[in-house]
Amino acid sequence: MYRTYTCGELRKEHIGTSVTLAGWAQKNRDKGGRLWIDLRDRYGLTQLMFGEGVTKEELLEEARKIGREFVLQAEGIVIERESKNPNIPTGDIEIHVDRLTILNKSEVPPFLIEDETDGGEELRMQYRYLDLRRTPVRKNLQLRHRLLQATRSYLDSEEFIEVETPYLIKSTPEGARDFVVPSRMNAGQFYALPQSPQTFKQLLMVAGFDKYFQVVRCFRDEDLRADRQPEFTQIDCEMAFVNQEDVLQVFEGFAKHVYKELKGIDLEQFPRMTYDDAIRLYGSDKPDLRFGMEFKEINDLTQSNGFVVFDSAELVVGINASGCAEYTRKQLDSLTDFVRKPQIGAKGLIYLKCNVDGTFKSSVDKFFSQEDLKTWAERFDAEPGDLLLILAGETDKTRKALNELRLEMGDQLNLRTEKEGEPIKVAPLWVLDFPLLEWDEETKRYHAMHHPFTSPKSEDIDKMETDPGAVRANAYDLVINGVEAGGGSIRIHDSKLQARMFKLLGFTEEEAKAQFGFLMEAFEYGAPPHGGIALGFDRLCAILSGQESIRDFIAFPKNNRGRDVMINSPSIISTDQLNELGLSLK
Amino acid sequence: MYRTYTCGELRKEHIGTSVTLAGWAQKNRDKGGRLWIDLRDRYGLTQLMFGEGVTKEELLEEARKIGREFVLQAEGIVIERESKNPNIPTGDIEIHVDRLTILNKSEVPPFLIEDETDGGEELRMQYRYLDLRRTPVRKNLQLRHRLLQATRSYLDSEEFIEVETPYLIKSTPEGARDFVVPSRMNAGQFYALPQSPQTFKQLLMVAGFDKYFQVVRCFRDEDLRADRQPEFTQIDCEMAFVNQEDVLQVFEGFAKHVYKELKGIDLEQFPRMTYDDAIRLYGSDKPDLRFGMEFKEINDLTQSNGFVVFDSAELVVGINASGCAEYTRKQLDSLTDFVRKPQIGAKGLIYLKCNVDGTFKSSVDKFFSQEDLKTWAERFDAEPGDLLLILAGETDKTRKALNELRLEMGDQLNLRTEKEGEPIKVAPLWVLDFPLLEWDEETKRYHAMHHPFTSPKSEDIDKMETDPGAVRANAYDLVINGVEAGGGSIRIHDSKLQARMFKLLGFTEEEAKAQFGFLMEAFEYGAPPHGGIALGFDRLCAILSGQESIRDFIAFPKNNRGRDVMINSPSIISTDQLNELGLSLK
């Protein structure tokens, strides 16, 4: 070893000890008579001290030449600092250096290696190895490390077996687009990279593995939205001989375990909500329950008063922004602009101020009496000082728009962020009873809402052919703070039911056989009842840290064009390589 | 849950308890008045009992119809068995069943789901999900699971950080052939799947992560030998501020930890041997030290006796097959045939029998006196009853051939297998001081023996240009029982030395920059001294189990053509997919 201690280790009790440290020069402070270098490694910072009269002249000269991010080995004696730094654990001491070795020099880094950096996103990605030296980024990846260990130790203790499923599998046209891998030994043929190990984990249940898990990379060749990555990590699990309740119990236990282990937070029993209720009450299948503002429908209170917007609306629905009656005209206009944005799509916003003096002021005063408005306030349990925000229109669209408005109000009122000094708010939720199918206007056929192996609720099976849209599935999502942490389902284990499902999804028997033949055949040999869940691992890291972007929790992420700007990939390959694969570029 | 207990859980103390079990019907035994079904799950076997007079007639009828591998749920009372089975943990009890539910039927499986099966390799691979139901296969994967957990918990306790490096990286022509992945968003460009995360782990050292590990899939598009897989798993590690000794200590600790955890074996300190000694004494850089038969060179004892084979040989070298003096003519002929096989390549075999009466009998008696032969015997420390086997010829070839003969004799004498009732033999070995380079006759240039980032020994650096073949590297292999478990090196952290190395390997500056530019640039920003190791995970599972084939430790392996015969992959993809990727087939 090049060191006897790390840069995070030395304390008062080490004073007088001879030590050797190694690390990076974070900062030099040259006060003439005294020179300090902050030496940094993964474990912390330790101050190196050089001084006129106490340090040999040569060494002092050399220390003066040390640049930022030079790699140093320093030998010396631990001494007490004259002016202590209570902000760092090594703040009581410094090293009186008597030998200094430059292990490596460094060019001046293109941005500051500090908590707050001057480097822009693009530059930091290009020099990701320097960005990773910054404490906040390193801490994100240390949290990720701890979540990896906590995940596996929990699942191991629950008798799950970790099985590594193949990465070179088979392309299936269903679902998102596959990345494919040309096979040289089987010219003209391709492997695909897995979008998830779905079929393999079901085969492991057929194989009697009973409980399976894997923290596994998945691949999707999608046009990337801001916070998607072409490769991402998933906690993938499956259990046999279980019903939905068993899966929920195990993974509620999992979520509690990791919050306790990583954040020291004890979570209560998770609330549950049906998909229908989530949509009706929050306009979203992943409501953020860190705050209220439940939707209230007021069609019955608003009809036939001559206000055509309400009269012609399929749905009149609103939220109570508690304590916002003092919102100014400007603030209300800005909310109206917000809901009118094309991606929100509402035509307008109706408000009702419940004034502190007990009167009501609304944007539709001319259609509704104070008495009418009072009935609205009552519906919303509004108190004097509250502000009701109301949208009207076609049901689905209006709920979606109101969901956006609710989240916007949550942001404006700081209900969705952690407040300095207050306990972290964690609002987990199971959303249950998802529809089995969703209608796709474009292809004019039903798609599986989760995937084609999700089982319908037994009480809804007889509606599969007569009223497919009304069939509910044994499918569930775990939502935390308004973000989908994961989802799963109880699967179909009966090959006849699976065949009905494929038919419903518009597969011919041949297509189903070509794509899922091996799975359907496997089901002929004694498939047990089974179900599982998959959790987005990158996402879970971000949720646990109260952050938004998954990219900050990936060591070497790709940009929105699927490009790794550090290694400059993808890139062209040689003609020889193409020839060997039997491929040519168009 | 469909069960209240697993099939491996019930004991005497449960007698009288009402239980529900679920699992697969392994076997029916119908003795007329009594019918037993062995119900199997991952946890064990439990006997279900049905009997005339004690079971309802209907239920008995139903039980008689249960076929092999039907999935059953059985309710009943735990009773004491009349005839106990001491071979299984549940052998004291059986279930007096009073309710039986067929959860799923099964076709008759194509082979026996028993420890010894009648299914051939190809059939078992096609129905791998049934093969995985067999206890020996399941146990292999359970061992793999335990090794995964033990690996990570050891490395976590040693403060290694697990970092997931990308799978979609960049193709480099150096080394084995890459699998490539066409990019749709960057038409005409390709990602490559990593052969190992080598450059990323070095970048993580530059990033200050200090200790990194990952259990990671790697990919190599090679023509597959019997026991290679296109995708395989590696324990990949890297450490900063270390020298070779530090890496050896940590990973010797790792190997001891997993042997202790998984096999209950305490290993002593691992012996060490230089590469040169390994080649000289065993003709192999991965000698199997479970047995002796060290090579002895006898050029000095065999020259100028008129035996032209010896006189013209660069090397005369042999082994002592202890206790084999009684080998028959036929056995000796068969050994001669063995060494003459084209893949071994020796011209012939000279033997010397040290007879129990103190005389010597050799195949070259007419050239050597009893006195001559006695000096040979002394060189080999041979006792009466021993057999010396001697090869002669060009040094490298002769050593290689003698290595094969040594291993063959080890096999013949059962020195390389575990003996029933004896403690398992584990012979770990560090092989050190590998050559930095090896000469490639085909391309007429030097190749990196490990990889281009391996550092030369500091005392040999000045020979890099003058005598490249003599330069030794800070490279090491961990060998267990004659199998390479892993290898690694201390890396070059100085960009100037790295540039010299690339030059030595025949890279132009442009080529080096195009391929490794980002790494070389990273090294300009303060790269610490670092080194690491990679262990073959599939291989380690096999070594720990005393087995040969890695395929038995992979859940879904591919065959020698890189094919997954279960899912029938690789396969053709649609023209639409090809078009989207801007590719056409030749």
Side-chain angles (χ1 to χ4, degrees), chain A residues 13 50 353 406 441:
Chain A
E13 57 264 34
F50 307 81
K353 288 183 172 180
R406 175 178 174 271
E441 263 308 316

Side-chain angles (χ1 to χ4, degrees), chain B residues 268-281:
Chain B
E268 305 281 306
Q269 201 183 337
F270 293 6
R272 297 173 179 198
M273 193 179 290
T274 64
Y275 172 86
D276 285 347
D277 282 348
I279 296 296
R280 191 171 50 79
L281 298 173

Side-chain angles (χ1 to χ4, degrees), chain B residues 329-380:
Chain B
R329 167 102 260 161
K330 201 175 151 196
Q331 283 175 300
L332 291 166
D333 285 350
S334 142
L335 287 179
T336 305
D337 291 346
F338 174 84
V339 298
R340 278 184 175 153
K341 284 195 293 188
Q343 63 269 40
I344 312 286
K347 295 228 173 61
L349 174 70
I350 290 93
Y351 69 83
L352 170 63
K353 287 182 173 180
C354 306
N355 294 322
V356 285
D357 64 7
T359 62
F360 299 100
K361 168 80 190 107
S362 126
S363 49
V364 288
D365 278 345
K366 61 175 156 176
F367 301 103
F368 298 94
S369 67
Q370 288 282 314
E371 209 44 49
D372 292 333
L373 297 177
K374 188 159 178 248
T375 65
W376 300 11
E378 281 165 5
R379 174 69 52 87
F380 283 90

Side-chain angles (χ1 to χ4, degrees), chain B residues 218-289:
Chain B
C218 302
F219 303 86
R220 257 174 230 181
D221 185 12
E222 291 176 300
D223 295 315
L224 299 173
R225 283 184 271 149
D227 206 28
R228 287 279 180 100
Q229 289 280 316
E231 51 177 311
F232 54 97
T233 301
Q234 191 166 289
I235 304 172
D236 192 51
C237 302
E238 197 79 5
M239 303 168 76
F241 300 114
V242 291
N243 49 40
Q244 176 171 300
E245 188 57 34
D246 302 309
V247 180
L248 300 191
Q249 287 300 337
V250 170
F251 288 92
E252 185 162 326
F254 164 74
K256 285 176 177 170
H257 174 78
V258 300
Y259 264 99
K260 181 71 183 165
E261 283 270 303
L262 272 73
K263 309 298 278 183
I265 295 174
D266 285 300
L267 295 180
E268 305 281 306
Q269 201 183 337
F270 293 6
R272 297 173 179 198
M273 193 179 290
T274 64
Y275 172 86
D276 285 347
D277 282 348
I279 296 296
R280 191 171 50 79
L281 298 173
Y282 299 96
S284 166
D285 61 0
K286 40 177 190 283
D288 186 345
L289 295 193

Side-chain angles (χ1 to χ4, degrees), chain A residues 159 191 562-563 579 586, chain B residues 1 42 189 191 562 579 586:
Chain A
E159 298 205 85
Y191 303 99
R563 199 157 250 303
N579 287 342
K586 280 207 177 132
Chain B
M1 285 301 279
R42 170 184 136 194
Q189 299 187 17
Y191 303 99
N579 287 342
K586 276 202 180 137

Side-chain angles (χ1 to χ4, degrees), chain A residues 158-280:
Chain A
E158 293 281 326
E159 298 205 85
F160 282 75
I161 299 185
E162 182 176 0
V163 180
E164 297 150 82
T165 54
Y167 280 124
L168 296 172
I169 65 161
K170 190 176 178 167
S171 188
T172 53
E174 186 70 356
R177 215 183 271 106
D178 286 323
F179 281 105
V180 297
V181 181
S183 166
R184 180 182 54 86
M185 285 206 276
N186 304 272
Q189 298 187 14
F190 294 76
Y191 303 99
L193 299 177
Q195 296 183 29
S196 87
Q198 183 64 36
T199 49
F200 287 97
K201 70 176 174 177
Q202 294 195 245
L203 289 172
L204 285 170
M205 294 304 104
V206 176
F209 272 54
D210 205 70
K211 293 178 184 174
Y212 143 89
F213 87 96
Q214 192 181 188
V215 182
V216 64
R217 205 71 55 86
C218 301
F219 304 86
R220 257 173 230 181
D221 184 12
E222 291 176 300
D223 296 313
L224 300 173
R225 281 185 272 149
D227 206 27
R228 286 280 180 98
Q229 287 280 316
E231 50 177 313
F232 55 96
T233 301
Q234 192 167 288
I235 303 172
D236 193 51
C237 302
E238 197 78 5
M239 305 168 75
F241 300 115
V242 292
N243 49 41
Q244 175 171 302
E245 188 58 33
D246 301 308
V247 181
L248 299 192
Q249 287 300 336
V250 169
F251 289 92
E252 186 162 326
F254 164 75
K256 286 177 178 169
H257 174 78
V258 299
Y259 265 100
K260 180 71 182 168
E261 282 271 303
L262 273 73
K263 307 300 275 185
I265 296 174
D266 286 299
L267 296 180
E268 305 281 307
Q269 200 183 339
F270 292 7
R272 298 174 180 199
M273 194 181 289
T274 64
Y275 172 87
D276 285 348
D277 281 349
I279 297 295
R280 192 170 49 79

Side-chain angles (χ1 to χ4, degrees), chain B residues 7 38 56 150 193 234 283 303 349 469 517 539 542 556 567:
Chain B
C7 295
D38 282 347
K56 268 186 245 152
L193 300 177
Q234 191 166 289
Q303 304 297 303
L349 174 70
R539 181 74 56 208
F556 299 101
I567 63 173

Side-chain angles (χ1 to χ4, degrees), chain B residues 432-446:
Chain B
L432 306 176
D433 298 352
F434 276 78
L436 183 68
L437 304 163
E438 67 188 338
W439 180 255
D440 184 48
E441 264 308 316
E442 213 172 301
T443 56
K444 297 280 175 208
R445 65 177 182 96
Y446 282 107

